[in-house]
Short mmCIF file of all heavy atoms in Angstrom, two decimals:
data_model
loop_
_atom_site.label_atom_id
_atom_site.label_comp_id
_atom_site.label_asym_id
_atom_site.label_seq_id
_atom_site.Cartn_x
_atom_site.Cartn_y
_atom_site.Cartn_z
N THR X 1 99.11 82.46 105.23
CA THR X 1 100.26 82.31 106.11
C THR X 1 99.83 82.33 107.51
O THR X 1 99.11 83.11 108.01
CB THR X 1 101.22 83.38 105.75
OG1 THR X 1 101.62 83.34 104.44
CG2 THR X 1 102.53 83.17 106.64
N LEU X 2 100.30 81.39 108.29
CA LEU X 2 100.04 81.29 109.69
C LEU X 2 100.95 82.40 110.44
O LEU X 2 101.93 82.83 109.88
CB LEU X 2 100.49 79.88 110.20
CG LEU X 2 99.47 78.81 109.83
CD1 LEU X 2 100.12 77.32 110.21
CD2 LEU X 2 98.11 78.97 110.31
N PRO X 3 100.40 82.71 111.54
CA PRO X 3 101.07 83.85 112.31
C PRO X 3 102.58 83.54 112.63
O PRO X 3 102.90 82.36 112.92
CB PRO X 3 100.29 84.03 113.57
CG PRO X 3 98.94 83.46 113.16
CD PRO X 3 99.19 82.34 112.28
N GLU X 4 103.46 84.54 112.53
CA GLU X 4 104.82 84.34 112.87
C GLU X 4 104.99 84.21 114.37
O GLU X 4 104.13 84.60 115.15
CB GLU X 4 105.66 85.50 112.39
CG GLU X 4 105.67 85.71 110.96
CD GLU X 4 106.37 87.00 110.45
OE1 GLU X 4 106.20 87.94 111.29
OE2 GLU X 4 107.03 87.01 109.47
N GLN X 5 106.06 83.61 114.77
CA GLN X 5 106.35 83.46 116.18
C GLN X 5 107.75 83.98 116.45
O GLN X 5 108.71 83.78 115.67
CB GLN X 5 106.36 81.94 116.51
CG GLN X 5 104.98 81.21 116.45
CD GLN X 5 105.00 79.74 116.77
OE1 GLN X 5 106.09 79.22 117.12
NE2 GLN X 5 103.83 79.24 116.74
N LEU X 6 107.92 84.73 117.68
CA LEU X 6 109.20 85.29 118.09
C LEU X 6 110.06 84.32 118.59
O LEU X 6 109.77 83.52 119.59
CB LEU X 6 108.83 86.42 119.12
CG LEU X 6 110.05 87.15 119.58
CD1 LEU X 6 110.77 87.92 118.41
CD2 LEU X 6 109.73 88.13 120.72
N ARG X 7 111.12 84.15 117.94
CA ARG X 7 112.12 83.12 118.32
C ARG X 7 113.55 83.80 118.37
O ARG X 7 114.05 84.04 117.32
CB ARG X 7 112.18 81.90 117.35
CG ARG X 7 110.88 81.12 117.35
CD ARG X 7 110.82 80.27 118.64
NE ARG X 7 109.55 79.48 118.60
CZ ARG X 7 109.53 78.24 118.04
NH1 ARG X 7 110.48 77.66 117.45
NH2 ARG X 7 108.30 77.66 118.17
N GLY X 8 114.01 83.89 119.60
CA GLY X 8 115.34 84.53 119.65
C GLY X 8 115.45 85.94 119.10
O GLY X 8 114.75 86.79 119.46
N PRO X 9 116.27 86.04 118.10
CA PRO X 9 116.56 87.33 117.53
C PRO X 9 115.50 87.92 116.58
O PRO X 9 115.46 89.09 116.25
CB PRO X 9 117.88 87.11 116.68
CG PRO X 9 117.79 85.71 116.31
CD PRO X 9 117.16 85.03 117.50
N GLY X 10 114.47 87.12 116.23
CA GLY X 10 113.50 87.54 115.35
C GLY X 10 112.33 86.64 115.12
O GLY X 10 112.05 85.68 115.93
N PHE X 11 111.45 86.96 114.27
CA PHE X 11 110.16 86.27 114.03
C PHE X 11 110.42 85.15 112.97
O PHE X 11 111.02 85.50 111.89
CB PHE X 11 109.01 87.24 113.58
CG PHE X 11 108.59 88.14 114.65
CD1 PHE X 11 109.14 89.31 114.84
CD2 PHE X 11 107.49 87.75 115.50
CE1 PHE X 11 108.70 90.19 115.83
CE2 PHE X 11 107.04 88.61 116.51
CZ PHE X 11 107.66 89.85 116.66
N ILE X 12 109.88 84.07 113.24
CA ILE X 12 109.98 82.86 112.27
C ILE X 12 108.59 82.41 112.00
O ILE X 12 107.75 82.33 112.73
CB ILE X 12 110.79 81.71 112.96
CG1 ILE X 12 112.21 82.23 113.39
CG2 ILE X 12 110.78 80.60 112.08
CD1 ILE X 12 113.00 81.19 114.13
N GLY X 13 108.42 82.19 110.57
CA GLY X 13 107.17 81.78 110.04
C GLY X 13 106.65 80.43 110.60
O GLY X 13 107.55 79.62 110.96
N SER X 14 105.50 80.26 110.62
CA SER X 14 104.85 78.99 111.12
C SER X 14 104.19 78.11 110.14
O SER X 14 103.41 77.22 110.38
CB SER X 14 103.81 79.37 112.14
OG SER X 14 104.33 80.09 113.25
N GLY X 15 104.47 78.46 108.90
CA GLY X 15 103.81 77.59 107.79
C GLY X 15 102.57 78.28 107.21
O GLY X 15 102.46 79.43 107.26
N SER X 16 101.76 77.55 106.61
CA SER X 16 100.50 78.14 106.01
C SER X 16 99.33 77.10 106.23
O SER X 16 99.54 75.95 106.63
CB SER X 16 100.69 78.33 104.46
OG SER X 16 101.04 77.09 103.89
N ILE X 17 98.13 77.69 105.96
CA ILE X 17 96.91 76.74 106.03
C ILE X 17 95.96 77.19 104.90
O ILE X 17 95.89 78.30 104.46
CB ILE X 17 96.29 77.01 107.46
CG1 ILE X 17 95.16 76.16 107.71
CG2 ILE X 17 95.76 78.54 107.59
CD1 ILE X 17 94.56 76.17 109.07
N VAL X 18 95.13 76.21 104.53
CA VAL X 18 94.12 76.44 103.49
C VAL X 18 92.93 77.13 104.16
O VAL X 18 92.26 76.71 105.10
CB VAL X 18 93.57 75.12 102.92
CG1 VAL X 18 92.40 75.31 101.89
CG2 VAL X 18 94.74 74.38 102.09
N SER X 19 92.64 78.37 103.63
CA SER X 19 91.64 79.18 104.23
C SER X 19 90.25 78.90 103.55
O SER X 19 89.19 79.05 104.18
CB SER X 19 91.95 80.68 104.18
OG SER X 19 92.10 81.06 102.78
N ASP X 20 90.26 78.60 102.22
CA ASP X 20 89.07 78.40 101.54
C ASP X 20 89.32 77.64 100.24
O ASP X 20 90.48 77.68 99.69
CB ASP X 20 88.33 79.75 101.24
CG ASP X 20 86.86 79.51 100.95
OD1 ASP X 20 86.47 78.41 100.99
OD2 ASP X 20 86.20 80.68 100.82
N ILE X 21 88.33 77.06 99.60
CA ILE X 21 88.35 76.61 98.23
C ILE X 21 87.34 77.34 97.45
O ILE X 21 86.11 77.21 97.77
CB ILE X 21 88.11 75.09 98.11
CG1 ILE X 21 89.19 74.40 99.00
CG2 ILE X 21 88.12 74.57 96.70
CD1 ILE X 21 89.05 72.92 99.12
N THR X 22 87.74 78.18 96.61
CA THR X 22 86.65 79.20 95.94
C THR X 22 86.46 78.84 94.40
O THR X 22 87.40 78.08 93.77
CB THR X 22 87.17 80.54 96.01
OG1 THR X 22 88.46 80.65 95.40
CG2 THR X 22 87.30 80.97 97.45
N ARG X 23 85.38 79.27 93.96
CA ARG X 23 85.14 79.19 92.46
C ARG X 23 85.82 80.41 91.79
O ARG X 23 85.76 81.55 92.31
CB ARG X 23 83.67 79.27 92.20
CG ARG X 23 82.89 78.07 92.66
CD ARG X 23 81.46 78.21 92.02
NE ARG X 23 80.83 79.39 92.37
CZ ARG X 23 79.82 79.98 91.68
NH1 ARG X 23 79.35 79.34 90.65
NH2 ARG X 23 79.22 81.13 91.98
N VAL X 24 86.33 80.23 90.65
CA VAL X 24 86.89 81.32 89.90
C VAL X 24 85.82 81.87 89.07
O VAL X 24 85.51 81.31 88.00
CB VAL X 24 88.13 80.85 89.06
CG1 VAL X 24 88.74 82.12 88.26
CG2 VAL X 24 89.17 80.23 89.87
N VAL X 25 85.14 82.89 89.51
CA VAL X 25 83.87 83.38 88.83
C VAL X 25 83.88 84.88 88.70
O VAL X 25 84.24 85.56 89.80
CB VAL X 25 82.63 82.86 89.57
CG1 VAL X 25 81.35 83.59 89.02
CG2 VAL X 25 82.58 81.34 89.54
N ASP X 26 83.57 85.43 87.58
CA ASP X 26 83.27 86.87 87.48
C ASP X 26 81.69 87.05 87.27
O ASP X 26 81.22 86.57 86.26
CB ASP X 26 84.03 87.45 86.26
CG ASP X 26 83.83 88.90 86.17
OD1 ASP X 26 82.78 89.41 86.62
OD2 ASP X 26 84.80 89.62 85.67
N GLN X 27 81.02 87.59 88.33
CA GLN X 27 79.57 87.58 88.27
C GLN X 27 79.10 88.36 87.00
O GLN X 27 77.95 88.09 86.51
CB GLN X 27 79.05 88.21 89.55
CG GLN X 27 77.65 87.77 89.84
CD GLN X 27 77.36 86.23 89.82
OE1 GLN X 27 78.14 85.49 90.30
NE2 GLN X 27 76.36 85.81 89.07
N PHE X 28 79.89 89.40 86.65
CA PHE X 28 79.41 90.22 85.41
C PHE X 28 79.43 89.27 84.29
O PHE X 28 78.49 89.38 83.43
CB PHE X 28 80.46 91.27 85.20
CG PHE X 28 80.17 92.12 83.99
CD1 PHE X 28 79.18 93.03 83.82
CD2 PHE X 28 80.97 91.81 82.86
CE1 PHE X 28 79.01 93.67 82.57
CE2 PHE X 28 80.83 92.40 81.64
CZ PHE X 28 79.81 93.43 81.55
N LEU X 29 80.35 88.39 84.02
CA LEU X 29 80.46 87.42 82.89
C LEU X 29 79.27 86.56 82.96
O LEU X 29 78.73 86.15 81.91
CB LEU X 29 81.71 86.83 82.76
CG LEU X 29 82.97 87.66 82.51
CD1 LEU X 29 84.30 86.86 82.54
CD2 LEU X 29 82.86 88.48 81.18
N VAL X 30 79.09 86.02 84.09
CA VAL X 30 77.97 85.02 84.35
C VAL X 30 76.64 85.65 83.84
O VAL X 30 75.73 85.12 83.15
CB VAL X 30 77.89 84.50 85.71
CG1 VAL X 30 76.61 83.71 85.91
CG2 VAL X 30 79.13 83.72 86.04
N THR X 31 76.38 87.03 84.39
CA THR X 31 75.17 87.69 84.03
C THR X 31 75.10 87.99 82.61
O THR X 31 73.99 87.82 81.95
CB THR X 31 75.09 89.01 84.85
OG1 THR X 31 75.11 88.64 86.23
CG2 THR X 31 73.79 89.74 84.58
#
């Protein structure tokens, strides 16, 4: 989630952003 911004009476969200694309991996199972 992107940082909120103070607008008038309260904070309003700014949307979201893709932070990473990860593998779904359990290293114990791989080992």
Side-chain angles (χ1 to χ4, degrees):
T1 301
L2 288 172
E4 297 174 323
Q5 295 181 356
L6 181 62
R7 294 288 179 88
F11 290 90
I12 299 177
S14 301
S16 62
I17 188 171
V18 173
S19 62
D20 199 0
I21 300 173
T22 60
R23 298 188 306 157
V24 182
V25 172
D26 185 329
Q27 201 56 50
F28 172 79
L29 295 178
V30 172
T31 302

